[in-house]
Every structure is written in C-alpha cells, then in structure tokens.
Amino acid sequence: MPPTPAPGQPGTWPSPISTADVVRSGVRPGHPSVVGAETWWEEDRPAEGGRRTVVHVAADGTRRELLPAPWDARTRVHEYGGRSHVVAPGAGLVFAHHADQRLYLLPEGGGEPRPLTPEPEVECGLRYADPLVRDGEIWCVQERHTGDGKVTRSIVSVPLAGGDVRQRVSGHDFYASPALSPGGTHLAYICWDHPSMPWTGTELRVVRLAGGDPWCVRGGRDESVLAPRWKDDQTLYLVTDRSGWWNLEEVTLGGGSRALCPAEEEFACVSGELGGAPYAVLGDGRLAVLHGRGDLRLGVLDPATGVLTDLATPYGGWSPCLAADGAAVCGVAYGPALPRSVVRVDVATGRAETLRREAAGVPPGYLPVPRHVEIAGRDGRPVHAIVYPPANPSVPFSEGPAPYVVFAHGGPATHAVAALDPHKAFLTSRGIGVLDVNYGGSTGYGREYRDRLRGQWGVGDVEDIVAAARWLIAEGLAHPARVAVRGGSAGGWTAMAACCASGVFRGGVSVSGVGALAPLTAATHDFESRYVEWLVGPPDPLLYASREPMSRIAGIRCPMLLMQGRNDPVVPPAQAEAVVAALTERGVPCAYLSFEGEGHGFRRAETRSAALAAELAFYQQIFRP
C-alpha cells in the first residue's frame, strides 16, 4: 500500500518558498557572447517592468550591467524575439531597443547609446534580430511591418559608422542565422516560407556577395536545416534532421556532404526565437556541441574523426545558445538542483567557471527530485515525462496518493527539461506534485516524435496528457479526485481541450491559451499565422470545430482558471474572454485574470507574483477534500 499523505488540506504544507522567491529567480540569462577573456549575455529584470539588459564580465572577473533603465535590449522579430545584441570589438555593444526596435551602439568607452538605424517611416515599423559583426558592418534579420498589416523580412547590413541600411537578400517569408564566409565572399543563411515552420522545413541558401542569385545547398519542405557555420570558404557545418534526428553534417558549396557524428539523438533544438546556437567552432577546429534526448549535454566533437567527448560539468543540461572564442565556450546550463547559470568552460583544461546563477529561491530539502518516466500514450506509443513528487523536510511524506498537476508545455514544438524550477518547487513544497509531459509533438526526441502532432493537434496531445493523468492514478502517485492540468499558450489549448475530452481532471489552468482556431489564424502574428495548417489542416469549419475547446466547451464540467496578458499579439485576449463567457453561461465555475501591459507570457514581477498566488489558491480550492 502506498504511504498515506500527511494530514492537512492539500497545498497548505508550510513552505518557505514565496511568490517573491519564485519571481526573483526569473532573470532568464541567455545569448552569451565571448571575445577573448571577456563575456557578455542578456538578462531579464522582472522588478523593472520585465526589461532586458546586457551584462559584461571583464577579463579580471569584474561584472557590470551595461544598459541601465530605461534601455531594454529586446527585439520583437517573430514577436518571440531572440538574440538582440552583438559585440563589435573596438566599437562597442550593438543592441535592439524594445521601445522603438532600432539598433543602437553603446560605445566601448562608455557614454550614451546612439542609433544606427533610422527612425521608422510613418505607418512602417522596422525590427532587427540575430546580428553578427564583420568589417565595420552589422548583418542581421530585418522585419518590416506596414500600415496595411503586411510583414516582410530580409537580411540587411548596417554600417557601424553610420549610413544607409543595405538589403542583401529578400524574397522569402522568413530568414534566420546569417553567416559570412571567412573570406567575406559568401553569405549563408536559413530561410523558409509559409506554411512551413523552422522545425518542419527550411533551406540553407548561399549567395555570392559579388553578384549572382542565391542557391539552395540543403533542405526543403520536409527537412529542417539549422545553424550554418563556415569551416572555410567552400565548406559549411550545419544541423539537419534528414536522418530522423537533428544531426551535424559538413557540406561543400559543390554539393558534397558528410555526417559528422551520426546518432539517434538531437544536436539542436529550435523555437520561434532567433539567434539559437546549438554548437560553436573552437579555435583548433573542433566543435563545442550539445547533444542528447530531452536535456542536452555539452561535449567536444572532432569533425575529422567523428569522436565526441563529453565535458565533465555538474550541469545536467544546456540551452542551445553556445558562444566560443579560442578554447573558451560559454553557455547557459542547469540541473535538477542547479538554477540556470551562465557558465564558461575552458575545453583545454576542463575548468568550468560559473559567471552568473539565477537566485534559486529554494532552501535545501525543499527541491523535488525529478524522475524521468515513459508512459504508454496514444496507441500505446511511449510518451516522455518528468515526475516531481511533493518534497518538504518538515512534513513526513513519501510518494503516495497526493494531489498532482499535469503540466502541458507551450509551443507546441518545444519540450520540458529537468531544470531547477522554483515554480514547481513552490507547488511540491506545499504537497502538490507535478508531472511535466513531453507529449507527442515535442522536440528533443527526433523527427518521428515531432511529427506525431502533424494534423493531430487537439487529439494526439490531449490523449497523451489524459494518459499521463491516468498513469499517475494507476501508479498510486496521484489521488483519483485530485489531478489538475495546466498549460500556457499551446499548452493552454491542450489543457482546455483535455478538460473537454476527459473527466479525469478536477480543474484546469490556461495561461494565454488558444480557444478557437479561426479567430486565432485571423488575428495572430505573421510567424504562426499558418502554423495551424500543419497542426490541424487547411481551414475547414467542421474540422476546426472538432478540435478547438470553444466548440467543445460543453465537455468542460470542472472549474477553470484563465489568465491572460491584455497586450498579447500571439493569442489575443478575445480568445480567453470568449471561453470565460461560454463557461459562465453554462454555470461552470471559472476565474479570469487579465494583466495590463503584459503580452504573451508574463514578464513583470508583480504580474508573475499575482498569477502564481492565484494559481495556488485555485489548486487549494479544487483539491479541498
């Protein structure tokens, strides 16, 4: 028999982890840069309205913030943004400022940032992302928004000394990863067109800068090619999933190709953000790479021999944003008991130096110990998930029938990792377990696993989430009447749809969740405006109605909590408001919180604190005996 939980109302165990502790942990370091012995990275400021700054660590270890308020180094390209800065040695720091989306140069010697790009034209907005610097110019992706709602993109160059912005390539719907050859004769880049997404089908193209048309080196509608890096003027490295896994290859401009380290694991991960870097070229020609299933490990690959050697660090996973110079590689790493950290590794000695660590906000003993599991999902196929049982040293408890929340990640083409997460510890320390599910369609487990969701959104993800909840109950981990589901964005869709489809859940939480497909495709941003065609199918009222929560709202009989940013350009607030109105009309208990000044996902400290407090109160109510 499983042990009996400690007495007391579920979710009310005494915990030292407050909402403020969780919020303080959310500085989200990312996109490092390395030049010699110096390091830079981007970092959020939740207590300052969620703005983003750039932090610099000098050769002597001195760390300082380069951009005080109100500067906000945050690009809005694709609305999800991405890498917004680049270091221009001898000149300074170039970054995109959120307020006007112009590129600015912060001089190396100090002073005020000065604009490099012109003010936007009337009824025309310009945005910049994924920058690199070469020979006094910044090369980057430019996104143009016109007054009639049209969005176009190109790769442009911007002189550091001032002057006209020059368009280098255009004609495709999307661009990413511009890369100049060592001799400066060729430009390589990734591109794709609607309705493809970067994880479904892209092309690697190359253009001779002296003149001529670009040509496709690799890729197509059914091959995802990512992250080109030049080896020499005639040879490139890239990541491709044509083997069924995102693996590294070497290709020549003449068309030859060679797999560097064939393996049934991923060497990359991709999202809507620009500027990802799953590998980096070291000074001796070897590659610092990330690889694995789910969580990615850091290793060094010799491209000549295919020998891959993992580096011994205490971190269980790394985000796909590596930077290198010489023998130094820098990235953002994490572990089940280690918060996200900016880590610089000397591959020659193996020495790892932690330059910045998020405040964990979790005292020893209150961290849940995650356990990776495989669950039989749709048609008996394995589904990957991570169990976080309740953990509190002041309460005598071992795994048994406890209240649980099933997490459905957003994306849906992303995946959950086993990182220290104060949000989860906030719940588990109070006696509420968490099951984080990488349902079919998640990244991290190969192309076939990703493609499970093709045409099946609202079916495959829902069946996997319901199967995960039933697995918790069958294993004796969760109390049959105390299982909830929560998700954000695409995960909010899955959470609501799961409540429509099954009575296994005692309640559901949706943050910026999708409720209806036709309004979404009509109002969402350009980047994902045709993604539904891959996820569900071409516009078809009957098909769409069979999948979307709004059309199946009669199936929801459990209480719901919906939270939404009022300035969300990805999932407009009208989606949540329609669901709330429909539930209220049917007499289903429903709470709704909307937050002014917030977009798709919450950035401000006060918002994040209020949302977390509301979520806990909701669970305490629905899990009450």
Side-chain angles (χ1 to χ4, degrees):
M1 292 287 292
T4 302
Q9 182 177 326
T12 62
W13 290 1
S15 170
I17 306 171
S18 67
T19 60
D21 292 327
V22 177
V23 170
R24 274 195 297 271
S25 71
V27 299
R28 301 172 186 170
H31 301 295
S33 299
V34 177
V35 177
E38 300 178 83
T39 311
W40 297 255
W41 65 86
E42 298 175 21
E43 189 173 290
D44 284 358
R45 292 285 180 266
E48 299 177 30
R51 74 178 187 91
R52 182 171 295 169
T53 187
V54 176
V55 178
H56 171 241
V57 172
D60 63 1
T62 303
R63 187 177 76 191
R64 68 188 183 99
E65 179 180 324
L66 297 181
L67 299 174
W71 294 106
D72 187 353
R74 186 155 48 104
T75 175
R76 289 187 58 193
V77 172
H78 292 180
E79 298 299 348
Y80 292 119
R83 186 180 186 91
S84 68
H85 87 278
V86 67
V87 177
L93 177 80
V94 176
F95 66 96
H97 179 46
H98 183 261
D100 58 12
Q101 290 297 293
R102 299 169 74 183
L103 288 180
Y104 286 79
L105 173 67
L106 175 68
E108 194 171 75
E112 278 294 301
R114 63 174 178 83
L116 295 178
T117 53
E119 291 188 42
E121 303 165 12
V122 177
E123 296 188 348
C124 176
L126 296 173
R127 305 173 182 181
Y128 304 88
D130 207 358
L132 66 88
V133 62
R134 174 71 70 82
D135 298 333
E137 290 186 304
I138 302 299
W139 297 66
C140 59
V141 176
Q142 183 193 71
E143 184 176 85
R144 176 182 292 266
H145 294 248
T146 57
D148 59 2
K150 186 178 180 181
V151 183
T152 57
R153 298 169 187 87
S154 59
I155 294 177
V156 300
S157 60
V158 181
L160 277 170
D164 294 337
V165 175
R166 182 179 176 187
Q167 187 176 98
R168 297 291 186 162
V169 291
S170 63
H172 289 279
D173 293 333
F174 301 96
Y175 291 91
S177 305
L180 286 164
S181 62
T185 57
H186 294 82
L187 171 70
Y189 55 90
I190 300 297
C191 62
W192 67 98
D193 295 304
H194 283 306
S196 294
M197 301 298 290
W199 48 86
T200 65
T202 61
E203 292 182 352
L204 166 63
R205 287 184 167 257
V206 174
V207 63
R208 189 186 305 274
L209 294 176
D213 294 329
W215 71 94
C216 179
V217 176
R218 283 295 300 275
R221 286 276 180 171
D222 297 309
E223 180 183 1
S224 173
V225 182
L226 309 170
R229 299 287 185 272
W230 290 92
K231 176 184 178 181
D232 55 46
D233 283 329
Q234 295 298 313
T235 314
L236 287 138
Y237 299 121
L238 58 83
V239 176
T240 171
D241 69 353
R242 70 170 179 172
S243 69
W245 298 83
W246 271 317
N247 279 192
L248 278 158
E249 289 193 6
E250 178 183 288
V251 298
T252 65
L253 297 187
S257 65
R258 178 174 66 92
L260 298 184
C261 186
E264 291 189 348
E265 59 180 7
E266 306 282 45
F267 283 74
C269 183
V270 66
S271 69
E273 290 192 5
L274 290 172
Y279 69 97
V281 182
L282 298 168
D284 61 6
R286 294 182 299 165
L287 306 178
V289 303
L290 301 177
H291 68 107
R293 296 189 181 194
D295 296 294
L296 301 178
R297 306 182 303 279
L298 176 64
V300 175
L301 173 64
D302 186 335
T305 64
V307 174
L308 173 59
T309 305
D310 282 346
L311 294 173
T313 73
Y315 298 94
W318 293 71
S319 300
C321 58
L322 295 181
D325 190 7
V329 59
C330 186
V332 176
Y334 58 84
L338 294 171
R340 295 186 185 274
S341 306
V342 180
V343 181
R344 180 173 170 133
V345 181
D346 186 329
V347 299
T349 64
R351 179 177 178 268
E353 180 185 5
T354 301
L355 303 179
R356 172 67 154 129
R357 180 170 286 173
E358 280 193 325
V362 182
Y366 289 88
L367 269 179
V369 179
R371 176 165 59 95
H372 291 265
V373 297
E374 281 193 5
I375 298 164
R378 189 183 191 201
D379 300 328
R381 293 182 293 185
V383 174
H384 302 279
I386 309 170
V387 180
Y388 297 84
N392 187 316
S394 69
V395 179
F397 174 81
S398 58
E399 286 196 7
Y404 262 82
V405 181
V406 179
F407 277 35
H409 62 71
T414 58
H415 66 276
V417 297
L420 189 158
D421 184 349
H423 180 182
K424 294 186 179 74
F426 179 82
L427 299 176
T428 58
S429 65
R430 287 169 167 80
I432 301 173
V434 171
L435 179 65
D436 213 350
V437 182
N438 283 317
Y439 49 83
S442 304
T443 57
Y445 302 95
R447 177 86 191 212
E448 182 181 353
Y449 198 85
R450 261 185 358 259
D451 280 352
R452 286 187 193 179
L453 210 55
R454 187 172 192 168
Q456 295 298 308
W457 197 36
V459 179
D461 53 328
V462 170
E463 291 182 1
D464 286 350
I465 289 291
V466 171
R470 290 175 174 157
W471 176 86
L472 280 171
I473 296 168
E475 290 290 310
L477 299 176
H479 190 289
R482 295 177 185 168
V483 180
V485 60
R486 70 95 65 197
S489 190
W493 153 284
T494 301
M496 289 188 288
C499 291
C500 292
S502 173
V504 72
F505 298 108
R506 186 67 185 86
V509 177
S510 170
V511 181
S512 304
V514 177
L517 294 176
L520 175 73
T521 57
T524 194
H525 60 145
D526 180 65
F527 175 67
E528 292 178 312
S529 61
R530 295 184 63 185
Y531 188 19
V532 170
E533 294 179 29
W534 189 93
L535 288 169
V536 180
D540 180 331
L542 293 178
L543 174 62
Y544 283 13
S546 71
R547 303 290 183 82
E548 60 192 18
M550 264 303 297
S551 296
R552 304 161 62 198
I553 204 79
I556 298 182
R557 296 179 173 84
C558 61
M560 301 293 294
L561 168 64
L562 280 77
M563 295 185 282
Q564 177 74 43
R566 294 181 190 171
N567 304 106
D568 190 340
V570 179
V571 181
Q575 292 266 321
E577 292 163 2
V579 171
V580 170
L583 290 172
T584 302
E585 184 179 355
R586 294 186 55 256
V588 177
C590 179
Y592 177 53
L593 296 176
S594 64
F595 298 97
E596 188 63 49
E598 294 287 4
H600 195 64
F602 305 147
R603 301 184 61 86
R604 298 179 176 180
E606 58 271 26
T607 302
R608 294 170 60 192
S609 181
L612 186 56
E615 189 174 343
L616 175 62
F618 177 77
Y619 297 141
Q620 289 172 335
Q621 284 186 309
I622 65 172
F623 290 151
R624 184 179 295 130

